[in-house]
Amino acid sequence: MALLDGVTYGQMGSVRYRMFVSTWNVGGIPPTDDLDLEDWLDTRKSSYDIYVLGFQEIVPLSTRNVLGPEKNQISKKWKSLIGETLNKSLHDRKRIQKCEPLEHHKDGHHRESNAREFRCVVCKQMVGILVSVWVRKDIRNHISNPRVSCIGCGIMGCLRNKGSLSVRFCLHEASFCFVCCHLASGVKEADEMRRNSNVMDILSRTCFSSDTSNDLPKKILDHDRIVLFGDLNYRISMPYAETKTLVEQKQWNVLLDKDQLRFELSEGRALEGWNEGVITFSPTYKYLPNSDEYCWHVHGRNGERRRAPAWCDRILWLGEGLKQKRYERCEVKFSDHRPVRSIFTTEVDALQI
């Protein structure tokens, strides 16, 4: 975090923050005690001011889990692992700082050793979706009015096996909204229309309560900066055999020309006006367990079904003041999806005191 404009006490200045946003479908697999999250969260090389982490399928999407009481043991485990990982670098840094002077920053102040301690602002589960938001301890007081809104748009258009979990908060003078989605699956013709319908439902039905001010945004599109991310489940509209050949040849640009989400965006049928970074990575779904090999066939109750790789896991954004610096997948062989992450910088107006 650094001041961008020279300001004095009581004036409004501009502050830049670095934001880490990631989505990961973990396939209903519970995390182990020794699961290493450092590569995914990029804590060995970098540190960010805000982390927004969205999961899908933290529990299997069984009838019992969808209709029964919510079990939060798994979400607590993920929260614990995330906190340990983000704050591990703090403990390592404290040991180093005993022998080194404090770092001097551009704003003219020394950063205290606890400036890189992270606190959880929100950790909320809706069946298989989990959103966990973490910020640096020294900017926690600048976060206000956090709220959550859950929308089910799965079976019968309302059950929560699919849908969204949205989190909003204000950072200084700017409002942010993060919409973590798990949209309708399926590879049949016109299934992308079901996904478009899910998106429209989420944008229209999501509403945040407010007990402090009527001026706070209540709908997703009312916010200043919005990020929509998750397992959006859009596939590649191409015959199976042709897809298989192009995947084996790693012809990603040819395949992306047939990417359903790109087509729906270009036609204005979904998320018109939203931004997505350039995709330079290979498809993120569907992998064999603990493998770099794609899974081309799935054995189900109705026999064997074909599965072609796709860029199911995506991150899009809307609003001025967000700049994407990186958009990439992570090589974590935990589930049949690879996590996708995006690094943003965001500038907000802040009263200097």
Side-chain angles (χ1 to χ4, degrees):
M1 180 181 70
L3 285 174
L4 301 180
D5 302 324
V7 296
T8 58
Y9 177 86
Q11 288 185 331
M12 193 69 74
S14 183
V15 185
R16 178 186 294 130
Y17 292 96
R18 299 177 74 211
M19 184 180 299
F20 179 108
V21 179
S22 186
T23 175
W24 191 5
N25 185 321
V26 294
I29 304 171
T32 58
D33 291 338
D34 60 351
L35 181 61
D36 188 345
L37 301 182
E38 290 189 67
D39 287 340
W40 171 45
L41 297 178
D42 198 24
T43 54
R44 291 190 177 98
K45 298 179 181 178
S46 306
S47 185
Y48 305 93
D49 302 305
I50 300 167
Y51 290 81
V52 181
L53 310 175
F55 298 83
Q56 303 83 43
E57 296 189 50
I58 65 163
V59 296
L61 300 182
S62 64
T63 302
R64 177 179 295 179
N65 285 333
V66 172
L67 299 178
E70 200 152 79
K71 300 175 182 177
N72 60 10
Q73 296 92 332
I74 300 298
S75 62
K76 286 181 178 178
K77 184 63 179 177
W78 279 112
K79 179 182 177 182
S80 175
L81 286 170
I82 293 164
E84 289 171 9
T85 303
L86 294 180
N87 289 311
K88 178 178 183 294
S89 57
L90 165 74
H91 302 311
D92 294 343
R93 196 172 291 114
K94 280 184 174 180
R95 287 196 295 269
I96 294 171
Q97 286 176 340
K98 289 179 181 178
C99 305
E100 294 181 358
L102 288 172
E103 184 179 358
H104 192 78
H105 287 261
K106 288 189 291 184
D107 58 8
H109 298 283
H110 290 296
R111 180 78 47 81
E112 297 295 335
S113 62
N114 70 353
R116 290 296 177 184
E117 182 177 351
F118 287 88
R119 297 288 178 87
C120 184
V121 176
V122 171
C123 193
K124 176 66 176 177
Q125 177 184 357
M126 183 190 82
V127 189
I129 299 177
L130 172 69
V131 176
S132 193
V133 179
W134 297 72
V135 303
R136 287 203 336 259
K137 177 183 175 181
D138 59 328
I139 65 172
R140 177 62 184 88
N141 288 340
H142 301 306
I143 301 283
S144 62
N145 299 298
R147 293 290 186 276
V148 173
S149 178
C150 299
I151 298 296
C153 50
I155 300 168
M156 297 184 293
C158 61
L159 292 188
R160 294 182 171 190
N161 58 308
K162 294 292 193 293
S164 67
L165 197 164
S166 300
V167 173
R168 81 97 192 275
F169 57 79
C170 296
L171 173 61
H172 295 289
E173 304 300 317
S175 60
F176 288 77
C177 185
F178 298 89
V179 186
C180 182
C181 302
H182 193 185
L183 305 185
S185 60
V187 295
K188 298 190 297 294
E189 187 175 350
D191 274 344
E192 64 270 28
M193 300 304 176
R194 295 171 55 222
R195 297 185 260 277
N196 293 350
S197 178
N198 287 170
V199 171
M200 289 187 287
D201 279 351
I202 289 164
L203 293 178
S204 64
R205 292 166 53 197
T206 299
C207 188
F208 297 97
S209 63
S210 176
D211 54 11
T212 57
S213 169
N214 291 328
D215 295 332
L216 292 171
K218 292 181 172 60
K219 306 295 289 184
I220 290 173
L221 296 177
D222 295 338
H223 292 78
D224 299 321
R225 292 119 202 234
I226 313 162
V227 179
L228 185 145
F229 62 122
D231 180 358
L232 306 189
N233 255 321
Y234 287 93
R235 309 303 173 96
I236 298 169
S237 294
M238 187 179 286
Y240 176 84
E242 187 178 355
T243 302
K244 196 170 192 299
T245 298
L246 291 170
V247 168
E248 290 168 349
Q249 295 173 351
K250 298 184 178 180
Q251 296 287 329
W252 308 137
N253 286 335
V254 179
L255 288 162
L256 280 166
D257 285 341
K258 298 295 184 179
D259 175 75
Q260 291 176 350
L261 179 55
R262 279 191 167 190
F263 185 76
E264 298 305 307
L265 286 167
S266 68
E267 293 294 307
R269 290 200 292 252
L271 298 167
E272 185 176 8
W274 289 66
N275 307 289
E276 184 181 22
V278 176
I279 294 177
T280 59
F281 48 85
S282 52
T284 57
Y285 172 84
K286 174 179 175 71
Y287 282 91
L288 293 168
N290 298 309
S291 170
D292 287 322
E293 299 294 324
Y294 286 113
C295 176
W296 291 93
H297 297 89
V298 176
H299 298 279
R301 286 178 294 181
N302 298 321
E304 188 175 74
R305 294 177 295 170
R306 290 177 171 180
R307 280 290 180 268
W311 287 273
C312 290
D313 310 279
R314 312 288 275 267
I315 302 173
L316 298 92
W317 78 95
L318 185 68
E320 299 295 327
L322 279 174
K323 293 183 179 179
Q324 189 180 60
K325 298 298 184 182
R326 287 159 52 192
Y327 188 32
E328 59 199 12
R329 57 174 259 169
C330 311
E331 301 308 316
V332 184
K333 303 174 189 177
F334 182 76
S335 73
D336 53 356
H337 290 251
R338 293 293 187 265
V340 171
R341 66 189 178 196
S342 178
I343 309 304
F344 294 98
T345 60
T346 184
E347 296 176 15
V348 298
D349 292 333
L351 182 65
Q352 303 305 311
I353 57 175

